[in-house]
Amino acid sequence: MFRAFYFKPFRFLFSWLSVAYLACQPSAVDAAPSAKPVQVIVPFSAGGGSDTLARFLVREINASGLDDSPWVVINIPGAGGTIGSRHAKNAFPNGNTVLFLHDGILTAKLSGKAPYGPEVFEPIAMTGKVGMVLAVSENSLFSSLPELLEAASTTPDTITFAANLGAPSFYVGKLIESRSPSSKFRYVQSGGGARRFADIKGNHIQVTVFSVSEFLSFRDGGLRGLAYFGEDRHPGIPEVPTARENGIDVVYENLQGWWAPLRTPGEQVDRLEKVLEAAFRSPPVQKALEEQSIETVYLPAKQFAREIEEKNDHLQQIPFRVDVRPPPRLEWLLLPLLAFLLLILARRTKFDKPDDRTATASVPLKRAMIVTFALAFYLIVLSSTDGLFFLASSIFLFALLIRSPFSVGKSVRALIPSLAIPFLLVLFIEKLLGLPLP
């Protein structure tokens, strides 16, 4: 009846995806809540500051049995944290997926790097604040923040400032500029703290920002601190003056937050909050945080939400858009291909009557047009929106499989694999492999 199922490619694909789907399904033992791990999405590479802090708490949760479910850290780096945050945003809201992300959840949206912010998550808790240090190479000509700002004012857009564009390191630079309007840095895209340190050691850039723990780790490698962005000098780096001492009224701390997908049940959010608080207040974690120079401040969900709202209001007052020219969109690259395809097929077009001026295009030409426009639509949707992989893929497959003249039977035969294949792909790629889909 459904001939589409008997095409060899579909037979193979359905068989393979069906096995994958069955592998994704929990057994009777796995169905118990205690057997389902809590995935902690860290949207940065392993070994960085965020990853280290997350693993401190996860290690304590598992070692002390603070939750019935085991907790595991999943690193999904890329695009300044937005790839991992999107994966967490699209996860099923059942309490088994948690995002660990700092102020980047705010700055990514404000800078235009992501179309969403904290409004698509449920706040769980804040587990610490991280201070920031403005630093240069120990061989730099600048020995103080006023000297740096004077140079950035005298010759604007010449002092290279390494930052992850759209991330908190970028915001700190823009915040400094807002307090010294005549000073302008030239921002250079970099990565995490280790990458920025390599850039400064290689003389590729002149100034950047580190967390206190990163600065302490890299200081002996040849760094000079110009300013600490706290209310008072940090006890771990008492030789570094505050920005306020240098006449620049900038105070900034990076909030370390835990988030659940939107519409996660309240009882699950409460459970996660209690587990995190117990781990945070344990002596091993407190000691680890102090060694990393992280301010040991804990805020539960409601207080954390208010803190984030206040900080978001503050950030919105700073000009913060990332002026980066995006690469050409893939769907527009299809236009020359479409024009070439139509030109070739037009030369081979068969007409119903040679002398008929209103001759209709041949079936191959129509088919090529449908496929090309369907592909363009598919790429536009995937590159412009989040969470529409299933819908866009179903429409695209339906356009490929449908045959004219249209009928109910043909539509059903095309619709079934158009829905089944994306559904099985989502289960296999996101649930079994743990990889994000658009």
Side-chain angles (χ1 to χ4, degrees):
M1 178 179 178
F2 300 115
R3 295 181 181 177
F5 285 101
Y6 295 97
F7 293 153
K8 287 185 179 180
F10 285 110
R11 269 207 315 243
F12 173 77
L13 188 58
F14 269 100
S15 300
W16 182 74
L17 290 176
S18 297
V19 171
Y21 171 74
L22 293 175
C24 292
Q25 300 310 301
S27 63
V29 176
D30 293 336
S34 59
K36 295 180 180 179
V38 175
Q39 292 190 340
V40 178
I41 306 299
V42 177
F44 304 102
S45 300
S50 295
D51 178 72
T52 301
L53 178 54
R55 291 180 187 276
F56 282 153
L57 281 96
V58 168
R59 188 181 304 118
E60 176 63 22
I61 290 169
N62 292 330
S64 300
L66 299 178
D67 194 16
D68 293 334
S69 300
W71 288 44
V72 294
V73 174
I74 307 295
N75 296 96
I76 306 180
T82 57
I83 294 178
S85 66
R86 183 180 65 184
H87 180 77
K89 175 180 75 72
N90 295 337
F92 191 73
N94 58 0
N96 288 331
T97 301
V98 174
L99 173 68
F100 181 64
L101 182 57
H102 48 49
D103 288 356
I105 199 168
L106 297 172
T107 59
K109 181 179 180 180
L110 293 174
S111 65
K113 291 192 69 175
Y116 56 85
E119 71 278 358
V120 299
F121 294 96
E122 302 286 354
I124 302 174
M126 185 193 78
T127 55
K129 297 180 179 180
V130 175
M132 309 293 283
V133 181
L134 186 72
V136 296
S137 170
E138 62 180 358
N139 300 320
S140 173
L141 297 175
F142 309 116
S143 59
S144 66
L145 179 58
E147 290 181 4
L148 176 70
L149 294 180
E150 182 179 358
S153 176
T154 304
T155 56
D157 297 316
T158 60
I159 305 298
T160 52
F161 191 116
N164 197 346
L165 299 182
S169 58
F170 176 62
Y171 167 72
V172 172
K174 302 300 287 186
L175 188 58
I176 295 172
E177 290 180 344
S178 72
R179 300 296 187 265
S180 179
S182 62
S183 302
K184 299 295 179 184
F185 298 114
R186 179 162 63 90
Y187 293 96
V188 178
Q189 171 61 36
S190 187
R195 178 61 193 174
R196 298 198 298 276
F197 176 64
D199 287 340
I200 215 169
K201 286 294 292 179
N203 295 319
H204 303 304
I205 56 96
Q206 295 170 276
V207 62
T208 189
V209 175
F210 296 105
S211 68
V212 174
S213 60
E214 290 171 338
F215 178 76
L216 290 172
S217 299
F218 303 142
R219 178 174 55 181
D220 293 340
L223 286 182
R224 176 190 300 157
L226 297 186
Y228 170 65
F229 300 103
E231 296 280 356
D232 303 300
R233 294 197 182 197
H234 194 282
I237 46 173
E239 74 281 4
V240 180
T242 65
R244 282 180 170 176
E245 290 180 65
N246 286 300
I248 302 298
D249 187 16
V250 174
V251 176
Y252 183 83
E253 292 177 309
N254 204 359
L255 308 184
Q256 307 299 301
W258 298 77
W259 308 85
L262 192 64
R263 291 184 291 277
T264 298
E267 60 272 15
Q268 293 294 337
V269 175
D270 293 341
R271 174 183 68 85
L272 296 169
E273 179 186 325
K274 292 177 181 178
V275 170
L276 286 170
E277 182 174 10
F280 177 83
R281 300 194 185 283
S282 67
V285 170
Q286 290 289 304
K287 180 180 178 181
L289 295 179
E290 291 176 2
E291 291 175 349
Q292 293 292 316
S293 299
I294 297 173
E295 187 177 351
T296 53
V297 178
Y298 178 86
L299 291 180
K302 292 183 179 179
Q303 295 181 32
F304 179 40
R306 288 196 294 268
E307 182 86 2
I308 282 291
E309 185 177 356
E310 292 176 2
K311 192 157 196 177
N312 188 57
D313 292 340
H314 175 68
L315 291 176
Q316 288 180 337
Q317 301 174 13
I318 309 300
F320 192 51
R321 301 294 292 184
V322 177
D323 186 18
V324 178
R325 187 174 184 179
R329 300 173 69 93
L330 182 59
E331 59 271 15
W332 297 117
L333 299 181
L334 289 174
L335 294 179
L337 175 62
L338 175 61
F340 177 75
L341 184 62
L342 293 179
L343 179 63
I344 295 298
L345 291 177
R347 296 175 62 90
R348 303 177 59 185
T349 300
K350 299 178 182 179
F351 299 101
D352 295 334
K353 294 181 180 180
D355 57 345
D356 188 356
R357 295 182 180 179
T358 60
T360 58
S362 65
V363 173
L365 178 59
K366 293 180 180 178
R367 191 71 192 152
M369 293 176 62
I370 291 175
V371 170
T372 305
F373 281 115
L375 181 59
F377 165 79
Y378 184 58
L379 293 174
I380 289 172
V381 171
L382 291 186
S383 63
S384 304
T385 59
D386 290 312
L388 291 181
F389 174 82
F390 175 79
L391 178 61
S393 299
S394 297
I395 295 174
F396 176 59
L397 287 175
F398 185 78
L400 294 182
L401 297 175
I402 194 65
R403 293 290 186 269
S404 61
F406 299 106
S407 67
V408 175
K410 290 181 179 180
S411 298
V412 172
R413 286 196 294 271
L415 182 61
I416 291 178
S418 299
L419 295 175
I421 291 175
F423 175 73
L424 292 172
L425 282 173
V426 169
L427 287 178
F428 177 71
I429 294 176
E430 290 200 335
K431 187 170 182 181
L432 185 62
L433 299 182
L435 298 175
L437 285 171

